[in-house]
């Protein structure tokens, strides 16, 4: 269990956070440019405000980074408080 927690921590800090923050950072300019240009769909009857969809890119990657914070906290809890993670079922009923 400790090895899995360490791997989760390393993977989160080395891969997840940098990737999420990089995509979110550059996605803001991508959505801002689309908003400033008033970009719309080329299809007749298409989406009138394409910037709304493009704004979901940085927002969703920001939420993924926040979920990574939860994974970090869970992994730290596994490392430092393993007795709290796997309490007996009889203790949980009381």
């Amino acid at each position: 269990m400790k090895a899995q927690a360490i791997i989760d921590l390393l993977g989160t800090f080395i891969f997840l956070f940098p990737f999420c923050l990089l995509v979110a950072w550059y996605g803001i300019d991508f959505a801002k440019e689309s908003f400033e240009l008033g970009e719309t769909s080329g299809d007749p009857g298409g989406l009138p405000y394409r910037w709304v969809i493009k704004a979901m890119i940085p927002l969703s990657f920001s939420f993924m980074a926040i979920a990574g914070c939860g994974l970090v906290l869970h992994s730290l809890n596994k490392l430092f408080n393993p007795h709290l993670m796997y309490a007996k079922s009889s203790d949980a009923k009381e």
Side-chain angles (χ1 to χ4, degrees):
M1 282 296 159
K2 286 190 177 197
Q4 180 183 0
I6 291 170
I7 291 170
D8 285 344
L9 283 171
L10 290 175
T12 302
F13 285 116
I14 293 172
F15 297 113
L16 182 70
F17 284 152
F19 180 71
C20 287
L21 297 176
L22 186 74
V23 172
W25 181 259
Y26 286 106
I28 291 170
D29 291 334
F30 184 62
K32 190 170 95 176
E33 182 180 347
S34 179
F35 175 75
E36 289 171 352
L37 292 173
E39 189 175 3
T40 61
S41 178
D43 295 331
L47 187 66
Y49 303 112
R50 189 177 271 184
W51 62 269
V52 174
I53 299 297
K54 291 184 178 184
M56 292 300 115
I57 295 170
L59 183 67
S60 62
F61 277 91
S62 299
F63 285 147
M64 195 182 306
I66 291 170
C69 293
L71 179 62
V72 166
L73 291 175
H74 182 73
S75 298
L76 289 174
N77 197 21
K78 276 186 192 178
L79 283 175
F80 296 115
N81 297 317
H83 60 282
L84 296 176
M85 295 297 295
Y86 303 104
K88 292 182 180 179
S89 61
S90 62
D91 293 340
K93 290 180 182 178
E94 293 179 26

